[in-house]
Amino acid sequence: MRIAVCPGSFDPVTVGHLDIIRQTAKLFDQVIVLVVINPKKQPSFTCEERVEMIRLATAGMENVKVDHYYGLLVDYVREKGAVAIVKGLRAVSDFEYEFQMALANQKLYPEAQTVFLTTRAENMYLSSSLMKQVASFGGEIDGFVPEILLPRIKERLWKPLDPTAKKEELK
Ligand code: PNS
């Protein structure tokens, strides 16, 4: 059985993530979507919430499991006997950081390969942080996040723009 791990913060999961997960599920026997806890980040959703949201969004995908982890990614990969770490690449700007991580992971655990998948063109711009910024200024995030999660994500992140907020005057 060929297992792939899709790691990330998923704070929260977007349609871009979901597309990568779907593509990975076609290429491997089993996919583990792994919510990795980063103690340096202040997430908008708890780890449990992020796991639950991914479970809901991937409910129809039979070979996809969701888990969470705190620690070195390659230790988890080794423990599960996974053969690949799958990451989505959007623009060239993602590449340097992802390449650095891939090389470090390869050094730490050469048995697994990092595989980069490209997102669909319509998701090139999308990230959890961009979506959160749009929501925080009262923008519409329909189409950015899985439909089933929209009410829940809006409830947490969406803030209508205060029309009485004083605009700073240009001098
Ligand atoms: O969605 P993100 O925040 O870009 O995901 C980054 C993530 C979680 C994949 C990365 O930070 C990670 O692998 N963290 C686990 C700790 C680890 O193994 N670090 C060394 C990677 S070289």
Side-chain angles (χ1 to χ4, degrees):
M1 172 131 91
R2 303 183 80 73
I3 302 172
V5 174
C6 285
S9 305
F10 301 105
D11 186 40
V13 65
T14 67
V15 292
H17 293 132
L18 212 56
D19 176 43
I20 296 294
I21 296 166
R22 202 175 284 118
Q23 290 182 51
T24 309
K26 286 186 199 158
L27 296 170
F28 292 89
D29 299 313
Q30 188 175 79
V31 181
I32 306 174
V33 183
L34 191 66
V35 175
V36 180
I37 299 155
N38 182 348
K40 287 193 185 135
K41 278 191 187 172
Q42 267 297 325
S44 303
F45 294 88
T46 66
C47 176
E48 289 72 22
E49 286 173 321
R50 285 179 271 159
V51 166
E52 199 195 325
M53 286 194 284
I54 302 168
R55 285 213 175 106
L56 279 170
T58 60
M61 303 182 204
E62 279 178 9
N63 59 341
V64 174
K65 288 204 304 193
V66 191
D67 200 359
H68 69 278
Y69 184 66
Y70 174 80
L72 207 54
L73 178 63
V74 288
D75 288 340
Y76 181 92
V77 170
R78 185 190 291 112
E79 189 194 307
K80 295 290 170 183
V83 293
I85 297 164
V86 178
K87 306 293 297 274
L89 277 187
R90 287 162 302 199
V92 182
S93 52
D94 281 345
F95 184 75
E96 203 171 319
Y97 176 60
E98 292 294 345
F99 194 55
Q100 187 184 24
M101 280 201 289
L103 290 175
N105 286 332
Q106 191 182 60
K107 175 89 180 151
L108 293 165
Y109 185 56
E111 269 82 355
Q113 272 300 319
T114 297
V115 175
F116 293 116
L117 298 181
T118 49
T119 52
R120 293 157 72 97
E122 63 260 38
N123 294 330
M124 287 277 282
Y125 65 94
L126 187 56
S127 68
S128 299
S129 51
L130 179 136
M131 184 277 289
K132 286 196 267 193
Q133 194 179 107
V134 172
S136 73
F137 287 114
E140 288 307 326
I141 54 164
D142 310 53
F144 290 16
V145 297
E147 216 179 311
I148 189 168
L149 304 176
L150 186 63
R152 186 172 179 161
I153 292 173
K154 264 184 112 166
E155 193 194 337
R156 176 74 51 90
L157 301 174
W158 193 82
K159 291 185 182 68
L161 203 56
D162 179 2
T164 63
K166 201 166 174 264
K167 284 199 190 111
E168 208 169 294
E169 294 203 2
L170 289 174
K171 296 210 171 100

